[in-house]
Amino acid sequence: MNELFEYWQLLLVPVFFAMGWAAARVDMRQVVHESRALPRSYFRGLNFLLNEQPDKAIDSFLEVAKVDSQTVELHFALGNLFRRRGETERAIRMHQNLLELPEVEDKHRLQAMVELGQDFLKAGLLDRAEEIFNKLLGGVREADAKRSLLEIYQIGKEWQKAIEIARELPDVATHKEIAEYYCELAAGEIMRSRHESARQYLEVAIQENRKCVRASILLGDLCAQEGRSEEAIAIWQGIEQQDPAYLSLVAQRLLDAYRKLSRLAEGVALLRGYLEHYPSIDLLEVVYQLVLENEGNEAAYRLVRAELQRNPTLVGLERLIAARLPLAAPEVRGDLELGKTIVQGYTRRLSRYRCNNCGFKARQFYWRCPACGGWETSPPRRSEEFDQSL
């Protein structure tokens, strides 16, 4: 019985092989038929792409698009390629051309509108982009339109509109982002000396995100401007519970407030405690300058040396050499100056804030990354503190 079963298996092998061969012949005939229907410009374009000649490839594909109005996907591919290359005018023409074709299906027409809106957005034509995306609201591409509108309102700093549409996009804009929009509104009110409305915005920001450090910083600034230093200090100290990494941003503010209250020693003790528990290059710089000013070179040198032993960094080493120079004998100062110059060449590259989302680096701290647009993606720590180069 087993032998009979094995013989039948052997007989089926050539049958399956013949069926596969026949199917392949049918598929090959279909491929050949379709390839003959394509214009020569299409194959020239492919050849240019293979030979890494994108400009010539684009020209060839454009000929195909003109010859055959049914090549919708090719229109989209070319338009997106133009947009990525920064040739927004050509991208706009490609997508507008699609919209003008009467035989284009509705789904492709909607896709063309989305792409055209992105072209306008990339070109900085925010009004025209907003007009396109507003037309898509209420339809099947509404989610795409709202995401793009949120980006437009952020670029245009239309924070009220951003808040309204962000609440409709919980999967895109979290409470953290919405709190930042309220902080932007508050910052604008502070610049116009409208403290009461600024405070209201900041209170809503805290309601949206209890850990919104920026709102606490701005609330403290309001109190300080109004002469309420005690209240400002209390608000800024609360940042330790929100996120202690941001204490370096208010270190100088705290010192100024304590100085106004004639309680500078208390402020120095507070910052020394922060530095011990939450090491930071920026915090070290503030405390170092303060100790140097009030206690002299020897005390400043001891401070930096102790901190460098606990948290070795090149920036700390540079500060240590600078603190040692006034105390050094004349015959070794030249060597110390040379060492300081060499170390400075490296610390200039390391003393930058880095976005955790896209890696963008900047000397200045940003609440929103200029490169990727992420909110609070650049911690207030220098890149060396992440790299631990030493």
Side-chain angles (χ1 to χ4, degrees), residues 241-288:
Q241 304 304 317
Q242 293 177 309
D243 191 338
Y246 287 84
L247 286 169
S248 60
L249 297 182
V250 294
Q252 191 60 53
R253 289 174 166 90
L254 283 164
L255 285 178
D256 293 341
Y258 275 112
R259 188 177 280 112
K260 286 182 179 179
L261 296 171
S262 300
R263 291 158 47 190
L264 186 59
E266 187 179 340
V268 174
L270 177 68
L271 292 190
R272 278 180 175 269
Y274 286 158
L275 184 61
E276 182 178 350
H277 290 94
Y278 316 112
S280 162
I281 290 173
D282 288 343
L283 192 54
L284 172 61
E285 180 63 24
V286 174
V287 178
Y288 167 79

Side-chain angles (χ1 to χ4, degrees), residues 56-126:
K56 291 183 178 180
I58 288 171
D59 292 336
S60 295
F61 286 138
L62 280 174
E63 288 183 25
V64 179
K66 292 174 183 176
V67 170
D68 186 359
S69 61
Q70 301 301 315
T71 54
V72 175
E73 295 301 331
L74 185 56
H75 276 80
F76 284 133
L78 286 171
N80 292 336
L81 178 59
F82 287 141
R83 189 168 66 235
R84 286 196 300 271
R85 287 163 58 99
E87 300 178 59
T88 52
E89 290 186 8
R90 300 180 78 179
I92 289 170
R93 285 200 300 272
M94 288 297 300
H95 294 129
Q96 284 179 333
N97 182 48
L98 265 178
L99 289 173
E100 291 169 1
L101 292 175
E103 63 272 24
V104 172
E105 297 179 23
D106 287 342
K107 65 176 183 178
H108 289 141
R109 190 175 300 280
L110 290 173
Q111 178 65 23
M113 289 181 69
V114 172
E115 298 297 341
L116 183 59
Q118 290 296 330
D119 296 337
F120 287 139
L121 182 56
K122 181 69 178 290
L125 303 172
L126 301 185

Side-chain angles (χ1 to χ4, degrees), residues 9 20-21 32 47 75 81 87 101 112 132 139 141 143 153 161 169 179 184 190 196 243 256 275 280 314 321 363:
Q9 283 184 317
W21 178 82
V32 171
N47 187 52
H75 276 80
L81 178 59
E87 300 178 59
L101 292 175
I132 289 287
R141 303 304 297 266
Y153 296 146
K161 289 184 177 181
L169 295 168
E184 289 287 344
I190 291 173
E196 188 54 38
D243 191 338
D256 293 341
L275 184 61
S280 162
L314 278 176
I321 297 173
R363 296 187 183 278

